[in-house]
Structures are given as C-alpha cells and as structure tokens.
C-alpha cells in the first residue's frame, strides 16, 4: 500500500528532525527525556511510544547523526544518553532549511489570494 | 543511506547492542513514565498501567528495535523459516510428499551430474590428456541421408597413418575383444579385454605396478597379457605370483593382422 508507506516515511522524517532539534537545543538527553520534551512542546499532541522512538534513535545512530552512550541521570539511574554529532548538526540544518522551504511553498499555495 | 545499511549489515553479525541492553533502556523509559504519572497525582498502580499503555509494550518495541538493528530481510527470513517449520509440522502428509519430491529431484540431478562429471568433465587419467586424440574413420552411409558409419581401422591403415602423420607425435591402436571367459583357480570369470599396439601403455603414460606393460618386441609375440589393477585384486586376490603365469582364455582369439 504505497499510501501508507509514504505516510510512514514522512512520519519518520519528521521524527528524525524533531529529535535532532531537541538534542541541539537541550544537549544530550536520554530517550524518555526526548519523548517528554516533545510531548510538552507540542502541548500533548505528540505522544511517542517506545516502538517508534527507540528504533528512530537507533536509526539516527546507525546513520551517524547521534551518538549514544550509557551514563547516569540526576537521580543516579543508569540511562543511555544521546548527543548530536557534527554530522547530525549538519543534517539538522539541511532538514530545517528544507522544511521551511516546503512549508512556505505550501503556505503560499494553500493561502493564495484568488 | 549507505552508512545506515552498512551499520545495519554489521549489526546483523556483530558489535551491536544486544537484547539485554535494549531492554534495559526500555525499562527505564517505563519507570520514568510511571514516576511522572505518579507525580501528576495518579495512584501508583494506575500510573504504572497508564505509563505502560502509553509507552507501548516492551515486546513490541523490542521487535521494532530488532528490525532496525539488523537487515530487515535477515530477521524476516529467520521469522519466515520459523513459521514455515511450524506450518509444515502441522501437516505431516504434505511435508512428507514435498520432502520426498525434493529428495527425488535432488538425488536424480546429483546422480546425473556425477556421471557427467566423471565422463565428460574430469580429465582422463593419462599423461597429458589434453594432447590425446582419437582417430576414427567415417564411412558415408550407403543410404543417402543417414549419418556416416564408424568403421574399425585395419592394421595396415593404422601403420600408414602412423607413418604419414605430420601433426601427431605418435599413435597406437586399440582393438576391443569384448568380454571373454577366463579360467581362474576357482572356475571362470568374464573379463573385458582389448588388443593394443606395443607402445600403447608408454604413450598413455601408464606404468605397471607389478611386472611390466607391453614392450616393442611383444608385437611379434601376441600372447602377452597385461591385467588391470582391479582384475588383479578381484580375480587374482592381489597375488604377486600372477606375474609370468599363464592366462587361459576360453574361446578363439582373433589373430593380429
């Protein structure tokens, strides 16, 4: 079903972008922190489940955009922290620019004065 | 893209995060989620349940992680193999028929190939087999349209060919005697035999294990016999005394000429 496949790709693409942006703004975070930050920023609209978030993080790591390492939280708990790599930073900038470009095109298209 | 796939290919085999590692990360996620829910004022049990639901199952997440970790087709292939085995187990008669059919096909193909391999593909067990050629005489069929016949070469023709040939190093002639009855200690045996010119063995590079092969002066004495290793083993029980003994052929032997 090509339609569903496309939607999944779009979702994955935006998830990547959101994660990269979060790490750029807040520095290294563990998975749960990323998820709750995104939930907070989206006012509850974005509720990532583990089956989406962690494979996504794994993929970013496989692509070399983030680097994961075990560390300890403020409460002395063992957690895996992800930080942005320089490649990740470059990718973030590119994706941001691309997103802005598409958004402005769509905006112009959907709100054009007749 | 390439980097991701290279890492995933690598991840299929080694140096990857193992299941325990991944599960540990997921469990922390659930704990933190439950804690947050408690902080928001829900009861502990409710919080844990809610958190678990919202975060999705660990097993589901693990499945998705495994898919991402290795190359998808490897994981899928393993999964499909397991499914196939389970399904086959459920219908034994179908499985039996399939297995027998496959076995028959594979067995037949292997048998045919081994024959082809031995007869066509393996080099002949002679010295410099690529330099060995066989000369035959083709006689046009008497009836038009029929393929030519191969006829035995007469000894005189062979001698002519040998003298006249400018391209071949040397020639020897072989004439099959077919199967002959031979008298042995126990009774009789059927052996395949042939007559050859004296330098046949030399040209083929075949040497005798015991005794000797044919020599040039044997052409004047046609009653010299060389037996094969297999015959020596089977019929003469590897008895060294067979060298120099007499081999008695029952029936007529065609004269050389």
């Amino acid at each position: 079903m090509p339609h569903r496949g496309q939607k999944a790709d779009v979702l994955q693409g935006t998830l990547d972008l959101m994660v990269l942006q979060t790490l750029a703004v807040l520095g290294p975070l563990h998975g749960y922190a990323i998820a709750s930050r995104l939930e907070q920023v989206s006012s509850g609209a974005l509720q990532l489940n583990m089956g989406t978030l962690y494979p996504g993080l794994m993929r970013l790591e496989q692509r070399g955009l983030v680097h994961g390492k075990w560390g300890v939280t403020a409460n002395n708990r063992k957690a895996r922290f992800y930080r942005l790599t320089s490649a990740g930073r470059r990718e973030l900038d590119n994706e941001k620019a691309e997103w802005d470009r598409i958004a402005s095109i769509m905006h112009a298209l959907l709100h054009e004065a007749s | 893209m390439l980097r991701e796939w290279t890492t995933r290919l690598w991840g299929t085999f080694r140096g990857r995060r193992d299941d325990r590692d991944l599960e540990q990360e997921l469990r922390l996620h659930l704990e933190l989620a439950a804690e947050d829910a408690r902080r928001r004022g829900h009861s502990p049990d409710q919080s844990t349940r809610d958190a678990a639901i919202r975060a999705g199952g660990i097993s589901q997440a693990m499945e998705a992680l495994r898919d991402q970790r290795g190359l998808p087709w490897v994981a899928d292939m393993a999964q499909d193999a397991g499914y196939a085995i389970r399904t086959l187990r459920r219908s034994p008669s179908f499985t039996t028929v399939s297995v027998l059919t496959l076995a028959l096909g594979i067995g037949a193909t292997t048998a045919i190939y081994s024959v082809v391999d031995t007869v066509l593909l393996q080099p002949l067990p002679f010295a410099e087999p690529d330099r060995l050629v066989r000369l035959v005489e083709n006689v046009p069929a008497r009836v038009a349209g029929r393929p030519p016949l191969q006829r035995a070469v007469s000894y005189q023709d062979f001698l002519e060919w040998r003298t006249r040939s400018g391209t071949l190093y040397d020639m020897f002639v072989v004439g099959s005697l077919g199967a002959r009855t031979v008298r042995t200690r126990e009774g009789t045996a059927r052996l395949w035999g042939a007559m050859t010119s004296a330098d046949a063995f030399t040209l083929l590079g075949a040497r005798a294990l015991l005794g000797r092969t044919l020599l040039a002066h044997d052409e004047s004495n046609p009653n010299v016999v060389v037996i094969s290793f297999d015959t020596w083993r089977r019929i003469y029980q590897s008895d060294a005394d067979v060298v120099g003994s007499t081999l008695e052929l029952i029936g007529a032997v065609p004269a050389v000429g």
Side-chain angles (χ1 to χ4, degrees):
Chain A
M1 289 185 266
H3 184 61
R4 238 184 55 192
Q6 282 164 14
K7 276 191 94 174
D9 284 336
V10 171
L11 180 66
Q12 225 166 45
T14 53
L15 173 66
D16 287 354
L17 184 55
M18 292 190 284
V19 170
L20 292 175
Q21 173 67 9
T22 307
L23 293 178
V25 168
L26 294 179
L29 293 175
H30 57 67
Y32 183 74
I34 297 173
S36 29
R37 160 77 176 180
L38 287 173
E39 189 179 331
Q40 177 197 9
V41 160
S42 65
S43 307
L46 218 54
Q47 280 176 14
L48 290 171
N49 70 13
M50 298 193 294
T52 315
L53 174 66
Y54 288 98
L57 286 169
M58 187 184 262
R59 210 177 63 254
L60 286 172
E61 211 176 350
Q62 284 170 341
R63 288 170 64 192
L65 303 178
V66 303
H67 179 71
K69 204 166 81 162
W70 283 98
V72 280
T73 66
N75 298 347
N76 239 352
R77 275 236 202 58
K78 205 173 164 223
R80 199 150 195 273
F81 287 84
Y82 296 88
R83 64 165 177 81
L84 207 56
T85 62
S86 40
R89 209 166 284 275
R90 279 196 299 274
E91 177 74 5
L92 174 61
D93 293 336
N94 291 340
E95 288 298 299
K96 259 165 115 167
E98 186 65 16
W99 184 265
D100 288 339
R101 194 178 69 90
I102 294 177
S104 67
I105 292 173
M106 288 308 293
H107 189 268
L109 185 68
L110 296 173
H111 299 280
E112 62 180 335
S114 32
Chain B
M1 173 73 167
L2 185 63
R3 166 129 190 204
E4 176 188 343
W5 278 81
T6 317
T7 315
R8 288 173 81 173
L9 178 65
W10 230 221
T12 310
F13 301 114
R14 66 184 186 99
R16 61 195 190 159
R17 297 180 60 194
D18 61 19
D19 283 11
R20 232 177 15 173
D21 198 66
L22 296 172
E23 271 174 34
Q24 195 175 12
E25 193 176 10
L26 296 174
R27 263 193 285 273
L28 174 72
H29 186 109
L30 282 181
E31 276 175 31
L32 293 176
E35 277 174 24
D36 267 356
R38 270 195 295 274
R39 221 172 296 142
R40 262 178 254 132
H42 300 141
S43 75
D45 291 331
Q46 180 77 3
S47 306
T48 318
R49 244 202 334 271
D50 275 350
I53 292 172
R54 284 173 60 185
I58 283 198
S59 51
Q60 275 168 301
M62 279 305 294
E63 236 187 83
L65 280 168
R66 283 192 205 101
D67 278 351
Q68 181 64 36
R69 181 174 58 186
L71 279 183
W73 58 265
V74 175
D76 287 343
M77 205 164 68
Q79 208 175 33
D80 286 344
Y83 177 73
I85 291 172
R86 282 196 302 273
T87 312
L88 287 176
R89 261 213 285 256
R90 255 182 275 139
S91 40
S93 48
F94 171 76
T95 309
T96 312
V97 171
S98 307
V99 169
L100 284 179
T101 310
L102 285 172
L104 211 62
I106 294 173
T109 312
T110 310
I112 291 174
Y113 175 73
S114 47
V115 171
V116 170
D117 185 50
T118 311
V119 172
L120 294 178
L121 298 176
Q122 292 293 352
L124 296 171
F126 302 124
E128 295 178 288
D130 54 322
R131 289 181 65 196
L132 205 58
V133 294
R134 181 169 162 239
L135 293 176
V136 297
E137 190 174 30
N138 287 332
V139 177
R142 245 172 294 164
V143 182
R146 290 274 181 83
L149 306 164
Q150 281 189 0
R151 195 174 61 183
V153 174
S154 74
Y155 195 65
Q156 272 73 32
D157 283 348
F158 158 70
L159 290 175
E160 276 293 296
W161 289 4
R162 191 164 67 170
T163 322
R164 298 268 200 93
S165 167
T167 44
L168 295 178
Y169 168 72
D170 204 342
M171 290 185 210
F172 62 90
V173 67
V174 178
S176 175
L177 293 170
R180 287 305 166 103
T181 312
V182 162
R183 201 184 296 283
T184 66
R185 252 190 303 245
E186 288 85 42
T188 60
R190 292 282 282 179
L191 295 176
W192 287 87
M195 295 197 296
T196 70
S197 47
D199 47 5
F201 290 89
T202 321
L203 286 175
L204 288 174
R207 293 208 300 251
L209 194 63
L210 275 184
R212 64 170 179 85
T213 55
L214 299 181
L215 294 172
H217 65 73
D218 291 326
E219 289 211 351
S220 52
N221 172 23
N223 289 330
V224 180
V225 176
V226 178
I227 57 173
S228 73
F229 179 73
D230 189 59
T231 304
W232 181 53
R233 232 169 21 95
R234 275 189 313 117
I235 311 294
Y236 296 96
Q237 283 82 44
S238 310
D239 182 6
D241 288 336
V242 76
V243 178
S245 68
T246 306
L247 186 84
E248 195 181 327
L249 279 177
I250 300 165
V253 176
V256 176

